[in-house]
Amino acid sequence: MKKIIAFLVACCATFGVMAQSADELLFLSRYYPGGTARSVAMGGAFGALGGDLSSPTNPAGIAVYRGAEFTFSLAVPFNNTKSWYNGYETSESNSKFVLNNIGYVYTWDFNRPSGFQSLSLGLAYNRLSEFNRDAFIGTPHAGSSMLDEFSTNVNNGIYEDFYEGLAEATQTIWESSAGENGYPGWINDYILAGSGGKGIYGQEMTRRVNTRGGLGEYSFSVGANYNNLLFMGASLGLQDVYYRNSYFHEEFPGFPLLDYYNFSDDYATNGFGMNMKLGLIVRPIHILRIGAAIQTPTYFWMRSEFMTEMEAIYNQPPIAGSRDDWFYAESPIAETKYKAITPWRYSTSAAVLFGSYGLFSAEMEYVDYSKSKLRPNSDYSALNDDIGGAYTNAINLKTGIEGRLGPLSLRAGVAYLASPYKGDSYTTNGTPIYSGGIGFRGNSFYIDAAYSFTKLPTEAYRMYNVGSETSYADLNTNANKIIVTVGFRL
């Protein structure tokens, strides 16, 4: 499909149409600090700490537990997206409630003087990524039209039922065998209103882009504590993903013939994946913990649906001898089943504990995004080659600090997700995430709250092609999240 080529690197992890594109693999491969409020507040740097059901990169953390525990976390992600197009700025916001974490761990204490001290089993769900974002793009005086792309494509031998087919069915483009306005071939009302094949524009144009969904993981973990010096763990992860991206494009030309038209595009995909993690934590001295972990690729089984619609309203019937001044057309629903494979993940971490005063932790994660693949390769070999050329390896960094004042804890963290793109493909800008929080610890329960702020890179959102040029809107999204966790020691 045309969309696979056009959107390969034009739109990254927030907006754009995916349709089995390279950017779809980023949705499945990039994790943001999530889970419990404590983990989020400390930037997700829990690889060497453990004792938290946020399903961190290191499953050995479950072996740190000394008893049974249950946690429940709710979150409110709220985002604001500003857009700049044709010299005009607009903004849109989005918010909703989500389940960020729920989990239970049970620990058997062996009460031995040496050797294996305990065995822990855990079951948890954690939210890894959010896709809920909205954007509004608008200009009162556009300098081109989406119809230009449709008519130009047909003149160049490109005809897709999902795009040009709808434009022809709604009479917004047609073949000018007589060379109307000195422009033979396929034209539209903007070209017809001009002269010498050059169109007349200045119409109001708006586009609403709505993105919904998220990526979550159910983890089944087991961990063992050996002499309180070595903590080992393994987990099976079952991930579920739902992503939906739609846009509604409107233009108000107000011509004697064409008065108004809109075009909508709707793509949705969902599926589930499986992975495994192995990890360990070593405590060489009382105040120091060092961790290392590896995660296999996640193998996803996916199913997607895609369709488009178009509507046009005329001031007078566009077909001679007809009374029809309203046209509507929709494409069939295109359904695709495919597989996606994310990269291996490797992490190393360290934490320093200052007794009852607090702690400091840091984590480094290596991911080679160019190793992502779509399957079967016979259908996606060209796209897989493009993925290898567009993406690169990245090192993600996480740091967190916690200070304790009796039962109260104050926390702060910074995470930095390096850009997955090669320098000449999209952007070398990474994604910084700033967070903080507070917690209260009782004898048998605790409550934590956290806030995180993610500054996403400015994105070039593709509107449509105008001849050999592409019309883009700049989108800048600030993602915020508030998380509250309640936990019980059982």
Side-chain angles (χ1 to χ4, degrees), residues 169-227:
T170 56
Q171 304 298 310
T172 51
I173 65 171
W174 68 92
E175 188 173 13
S176 171
S177 58
E180 295 170 279
N181 192 18
Y183 193 87
W186 287 80
I187 65 174
N188 58 65
D189 257 25
Y190 292 99
I191 296 174
L192 182 65
S195 61
K198 295 183 178 180
I200 290 181
Y201 304 96
Q203 77 279 13
E204 179 184 357
M205 178 190 298
T206 63
R207 181 179 292 195
R208 296 185 180 275
V209 185
N210 305 112
T211 309
R212 297 290 182 268
L215 174 66
E217 181 177 78
Y218 301 87
S219 60
F220 305 86
S221 306
V222 58
N225 171 1
Y226 183 80
N227 273 341

XYZ file of all heavy atoms in Angstrom, residues 169-227:
446
model
N -15.128 8.860 -6.864
C -16.522 8.515 -6.589
C -17.315 9.699 -6.058
O -18.540 9.774 -6.275
C -16.582 7.360 -5.585
N -16.660 10.622 -5.373
C -17.347 11.808 -4.841
C -17.243 13.004 -5.785
O -17.621 14.115 -5.415
C -16.779 12.191 -3.466
O -15.366 12.397 -3.581
C -17.066 11.107 -2.438
N -16.716 12.786 -6.985
C -16.619 13.810 -8.032
C -15.675 14.961 -7.667
O -15.734 16.032 -8.282
C -18.021 14.396 -8.352
C -19.050 13.362 -8.745
C -18.652 12.620 -10.011
O -18.302 13.224 -11.014
N -18.697 11.286 -9.933
N -14.801 14.755 -6.681
C -13.869 15.832 -6.312
C -12.647 15.858 -7.223
O -11.906 16.845 -7.238
C -13.421 15.686 -4.846
O -12.952 14.349 -4.632
C -14.572 15.975 -3.898
N -12.383 14.793 -7.952
C -11.411 14.818 -9.044
C -12.077 14.176 -10.251
O -12.945 13.314 -10.116
C -10.092 14.081 -8.697
C -10.333 12.582 -8.483
C -9.414 14.700 -7.482
C -9.046 11.772 -8.351
N -11.695 14.612 -11.426
C -12.265 14.041 -12.644
C -11.273 14.229 -13.795
O -10.347 15.049 -13.719
C -13.613 14.695 -12.974
C -13.514 16.138 -13.392
C -13.384 16.644 -14.655
C -13.518 17.272 -12.518
N -13.314 18.006 -14.639
C -13.395 18.429 -13.333
C -13.610 17.441 -11.134
C -13.359 19.717 -12.820
C -13.581 18.714 -10.617
C -13.455 19.845 -11.447
N -11.516 13.460 -14.868
C -10.623 13.520 -16.022
C -11.083 14.606 -16.980
O -12.233 14.625 -17.422
C -10.577 12.172 -16.745
C -9.526 12.112 -17.840
C -9.379 10.723 -18.437
O -10.267 9.872 -18.178
O -8.396 10.486 -19.156
N -10.160 15.497 -17.301
C -10.463 16.622 -18.187
C -9.894 16.317 -19.569
O -8.783 16.717 -19.915
C -9.853 17.914 -17.637
O -9.962 18.958 -18.583
N -10.659 15.572 -20.347
C -10.174 15.209 -21.686
C -10.101 16.414 -22.606
O -9.326 16.444 -23.556
C -11.085 14.137 -22.293
O -12.430 14.608 -22.356
N -10.917 17.449 -22.315
C -10.921 18.643 -23.158
C -9.832 19.626 -22.758
O -9.680 20.676 -23.380
C -12.284 19.329 -23.076
N -9.081 19.321 -21.718
C -8.023 20.227 -21.290
C -8.579 21.478 -20.644
O -8.168 22.593 -20.962
N -9.535 21.319 -19.739
C -10.127 22.464 -19.040
C -9.054 23.273 -18.325
O -8.153 22.738 -17.695
C -11.173 21.978 -18.028
C -12.367 21.303 -18.674
C -13.244 20.635 -17.632
O -12.911 19.525 -17.212
O -14.265 21.251 -17.259
N -9.136 24.584 -18.446
C -8.196 25.494 -17.805
C -6.762 25.238 -18.278
O -5.807 25.461 -17.549
C -8.268 25.359 -16.273
C -7.520 26.474 -15.569
O -7.234 27.511 -16.165
N -7.203 26.255 -14.317
N -6.639 24.774 -19.509
C -5.308 24.556 -20.046
C -4.544 23.446 -19.366
O -3.316 23.407 -19.429
N -5.260 22.548 -18.704
C -4.596 21.483 -17.942
C -5.275 20.158 -18.252
O -6.204 19.752 -17.551
C -4.665 21.780 -16.445
C -3.744 20.919 -15.616
C -2.423 21.299 -15.402
C -4.193 19.727 -15.060
C -1.571 20.518 -14.648
C -3.342 18.934 -14.298
C -2.036 19.338 -14.104
O -1.190 18.559 -13.345
N -4.841 19.454 -19.281
C -5.458 18.159 -19.597
C -5.101 17.119 -18.548
O -4.106 17.232 -17.852
C -4.852 17.814 -20.956
C -3.535 18.531 -20.979
C -3.753 19.797 -20.214
N -5.920 16.104 -18.462
C -5.684 15.051 -17.477
C -6.638 15.198 -16.312
O -7.686 15.842 -16.397
N -6.281 14.582 -15.185
C -7.127 14.609 -14.005
C -6.919 15.912 -13.240
O -5.794 16.318 -12.957
C -6.808 13.412 -13.108
C -7.324 12.130 -13.692
C -6.748 11.381 -14.675
C -8.538 11.473 -13.329
N -7.530 10.288 -14.969
C -8.638 10.306 -14.148
C -9.552 11.733 -12.411
C -9.696 9.423 -14.069
C -10.610 10.837 -12.322
C -10.681 9.700 -13.140
N -8.040 16.585 -12.918
C -7.978 17.873 -12.231
C -8.996 17.878 -11.084
O -9.752 16.926 -10.887
C -8.236 19.053 -13.182
C -9.674 18.995 -13.725
C -7.225 19.069 -14.319
C -10.042 20.229 -14.555
N -9.009 18.981 -10.335
C -9.987 19.191 -9.278
C -10.473 20.632 -9.326
O -10.004 21.420 -10.157
C -9.395 18.842 -7.906
C -8.147 19.656 -7.597
O -8.215 20.882 -7.459
N -6.999 18.982 -7.493
N -11.397 20.992 -8.469
C -12.006 22.323 -8.524
C -11.014 23.446 -8.261
O -11.192 24.564 -8.758
C -13.165 22.416 -7.518
C -14.513 22.305 -8.212
O -14.559 21.708 -9.300
O -15.502 22.839 -7.671
N -9.992 23.200 -7.475
C -8.992 24.243 -7.211
C -8.248 24.600 -8.498
O -7.987 25.766 -8.781
C -8.003 23.771 -6.140
C -8.622 23.622 -4.777
C -9.024 22.373 -4.314
C -8.806 24.725 -3.942
C -9.594 22.221 -3.056
C -9.371 24.580 -2.683
C -9.770 23.332 -2.243
O -10.344 23.194 -1.002
N -7.899 23.563 -9.277
C -7.232 23.799 -10.553
C -8.190 24.428 -11.550
O -7.842 25.358 -12.294
C -6.661 22.484 -11.102
C -5.585 21.947 -10.158
C -6.098 22.668 -12.508
C -5.047 20.577 -10.535
N -9.451 23.961 -11.549
C -10.448 24.509 -12.475
C -10.671 25.990 -12.239
O -10.882 26.765 -13.175
C -11.767 23.748 -12.313
C -12.911 24.164 -13.242
C -12.562 23.866 -14.694
C -14.199 23.449 -12.849
N -10.604 26.418 -10.956
C -10.866 27.827 -10.629
C -9.710 28.741 -10.999
O -9.874 29.962 -11.049
C -11.164 27.972 -9.140
N -8.522 28.162 -11.277
C -7.361 28.980 -11.603
C -7.201 29.152 -13.088
O -8.166 29.124 -13.851
N -5.959 29.307 -13.493
C -5.671 29.473 -14.911
C -4.304 28.874 -15.196
O -3.431 28.850 -14.328
C -5.685 30.957 -15.318
O -4.691 31.686 -14.597
N -4.148 28.386 -16.420
C -2.870 27.822 -16.818
C -2.467 26.612 -16.010
O -1.278 26.320 -15.876
N -3.439 25.908 -15.472
C -3.136 24.726 -14.683
C -2.740 25.013 -13.254
O -2.454 24.099 -12.489
N -2.720 26.285 -12.852
C -2.394 26.649 -11.473
C -3.677 26.914 -10.696
O -4.565 27.622 -11.162
C -1.500 27.885 -11.445
C -0.124 27.657 -12.073
C 0.758 28.898 -11.951
C 2.135 28.624 -12.536
N 3.019 29.808 -12.427
N -3.748 26.354 -9.518
C -4.975 26.439 -8.757
C -5.120 27.732 -7.972
O -4.175 28.504 -7.791
N -6.354 27.963 -7.505
C -6.669 29.073 -6.604
C -7.011 28.477 -5.244
O -7.872 27.604 -5.137
C -7.842 29.909 -7.138
C -7.415 30.691 -8.383
C -8.348 30.874 -6.064
C -8.506 31.559 -8.951
N -6.329 28.974 -4.197
C -6.503 28.402 -2.863
C -6.900 29.507 -1.878
O -7.525 30.464 -2.256
C -5.226 27.677 -2.433
C -4.804 26.615 -3.421
C -3.839 26.886 -4.402
C -5.390 25.360 -3.408
C -3.478 25.921 -5.334
C -5.032 24.389 -4.333
C -4.069 24.674 -5.297
O -3.713 23.729 -6.209
N -6.556 29.340 -0.634
C -6.950 30.284 0.413
C -8.131 29.783 1.223
O -8.711 30.522 2.024
N -8.487 28.502 1.066
C -9.638 27.941 1.765
C -9.284 27.615 3.221
O -8.126 27.416 3.576
C -10.118 26.668 1.057
C -9.282 25.428 1.313
C -8.021 25.356 0.451
O -7.617 26.330 -0.185
N -7.389 24.187 0.439
N -10.315 27.538 4.067
C -10.120 27.063 5.432
C -9.895 25.548 5.396
O -10.588 24.824 4.682
C -11.335 27.388 6.297
C -11.198 26.901 7.740
C -12.446 27.147 8.562
O -13.404 27.760 8.027
O -12.479 26.706 9.732
N -8.915 25.081 6.204
C -8.583 23.665 6.254
C -8.356 23.253 7.702
O -7.684 23.960 8.452
C -7.320 23.369 5.434
C -6.863 21.914 5.476
S -5.222 21.692 4.741
C -5.544 22.226 3.053
N -8.929 22.123 8.108
C -8.702 21.600 9.455
C -8.475 20.102 9.379
O -8.959 19.427 8.461
C -9.886 21.872 10.398
O -11.043 21.191 9.907
C -10.175 23.365 10.494
N -7.743 19.592 10.347
C -7.573 18.148 10.472
C -7.470 17.800 11.957
O -6.672 18.387 12.689
C -6.332 17.645 9.744
C -6.163 16.121 9.865
C -4.947 15.592 9.139
N -5.078 15.711 7.696
C -4.294 15.077 6.819
N -3.327 14.266 7.276
N -4.456 15.246 5.522
N -8.264 16.825 12.366
C -8.203 16.297 13.731
C -7.591 14.906 13.684
O -8.042 14.044 12.939
C -9.601 16.244 14.356
C -10.240 17.617 14.528
C -11.569 17.529 15.257
N -12.158 18.850 15.412
C -11.886 19.695 16.402
N -11.011 19.317 17.347
N -12.459 20.867 16.473
N -6.558 14.711 14.500
C -5.856 13.438 14.571
C -6.086 12.861 15.965
O -5.772 13.501 16.968
C -4.350 13.611 14.313
C -3.662 12.246 14.282
C -4.103 14.362 13.014
N -6.647 11.676 16.024
C -6.956 11.034 17.307
C -6.233 9.701 17.399
O -6.348 8.863 16.503
C -8.458 10.814 17.461
C -9.257 12.091 17.302
O -9.997 12.253 16.335
N -9.117 13.002 18.232
N -5.486 9.520 18.481
C -4.746 8.287 18.718
C -5.198 7.693 20.033
O -5.295 8.413 21.035
C -3.232 8.558 18.759
O -2.851 9.300 17.599
C -2.456 7.249 18.786
N -5.467 6.402 20.047
C -5.942 5.731 21.246
C -5.201 4.397 21.428
O -4.745 3.788 20.467
C -7.454 5.444 21.145
C -8.321 6.688 21.049
C -8.331 7.450 22.366
N -9.195 8.623 22.300
C -8.778 9.831 21.959
N -7.504 10.025 21.651
N -9.619 10.838 21.931
N -5.129 3.956 22.693
C -4.595 2.633 22.966
C -3.437 2.656 23.932
O -3.113 3.662 24.568
N -2.794 1.508 24.067
C -1.674 1.370 24.972
C -1.051 -0.006 24.859
O -1.591 -0.926 24.214
N 0.103 -0.154 25.502
C 0.840 -1.406 25.539
C 0.997 -1.822 26.991
O 1.459 -1.028 27.824
C 2.211 -1.250 24.886
C 3.173 -2.437 24.960
C 2.627 -3.623 24.170
C 4.554 -2.045 24.457
N 0.580 -3.035 27.331
C 0.696 -3.529 28.695
C 1.296 -4.919 28.725
O 1.348 -5.622 27.700
N 1.754 -5.321 29.913
C 2.378 -6.637 30.045
C 1.904 -7.346 31.303
O 1.895 -6.765 32.388
C 3.900 -6.499 30.081
C 4.622 -7.845 30.184
C 6.132 -7.702 30.143
O 6.739 -7.334 31.175
O 6.706 -7.945 29.060
N 1.527 -8.609 31.141
C 1.256 -9.503 32.259
C 2.519 -10.335 32.473
O 2.970 -11.028 31.545
C 0.077 -10.421 31.946
C -1.207 -9.677 31.646
C -1.497 -9.253 30.351
C -2.122 -9.397 32.661
C -2.671 -8.572 30.072
C -3.303 -8.728 32.385
C -3.561 -8.315 31.093
O -4.726 -7.627 30.820
N 3.093 -10.262 33.667
C 4.340 -10.975 33.927
C 4.152 -12.022 35.010
O 3.503 -11.774 36.030
C 5.450 -10.000 34.325
O 5.103 -9.296 35.496
N 4.721 -13.194 34.782
C 4.731 -14.295 35.740
C 6.194 -14.514 36.128
O 6.999 -14.933 35.292
C 4.134 -15.556 35.116
C 2.757 -15.354 34.566
C 2.577 -14.877 33.263
C 1.639 -15.617 35.342
C 1.312 -14.686 32.754
C 0.365 -15.436 34.828
C 0.194 -14.957 33.538
N 6.546 -14.233 37.388
C 7.947 -14.181 37.794
C 8.245 -15.156 38.917
O 7.388 -15.440 39.763
C 8.320 -12.764 38.252
O 8.010 -11.800 37.275
N 9.488 -15.617 38.948
C 9.982 -16.446 40.033
C 11.387 -15.966 40.376
O 12.178 -15.633 39.489
C 9.988 -17.945 39.652
C 10.837 -18.196 38.409
C 10.485 -18.800 40.810
N 11.689 -15.899 41.666
C 12.997 -15.429 42.095
C 13.475 -16.153 43.333
O 12.667 -16.590 44.170
N 14.791 -16.291 43.465
C 15.390 -16.976 44.605
C 16.488 -16.121 45.208
O 17.248 -15.462 44.491
C 15.954 -18.330 44.181
N 16.566 -16.159 46.539
C 17.545 -15.395 47.310
C 18.574 -16.374 47.886
O 18.238 -17.252 48.682
C 16.828 -14.635 48.429
C 17.788 -13.990 49.413
O 19.007 -14.068 49.280
N 17.233 -13.351 50.430
N 19.835 -16.186 47.483
C 20.901 -17.060 47.979
C 21.803 -16.288 48.934
O 22.521 -15.365 48.527
C 21.729 -17.611 46.821
C 22.804 -18.590 47.247
C 22.493 -19.916 47.534
C 24.133 -18.174 47.377
C 23.465 -20.819 47.921
C 25.113 -19.069 47.776
C 24.777 -20.393 48.050
O 25.750 -21.273 48.453
N 21.712 -16.597 50.216
C 22.560 -16.018 51.263
C 22.454 -14.490 51.349
O 23.366 -13.842 51.863
C 24.031 -16.407 51.049
C 24.364 -17.732 51.701
O 23.643 -18.205 52.586
N 25.450 -18.347 51.257
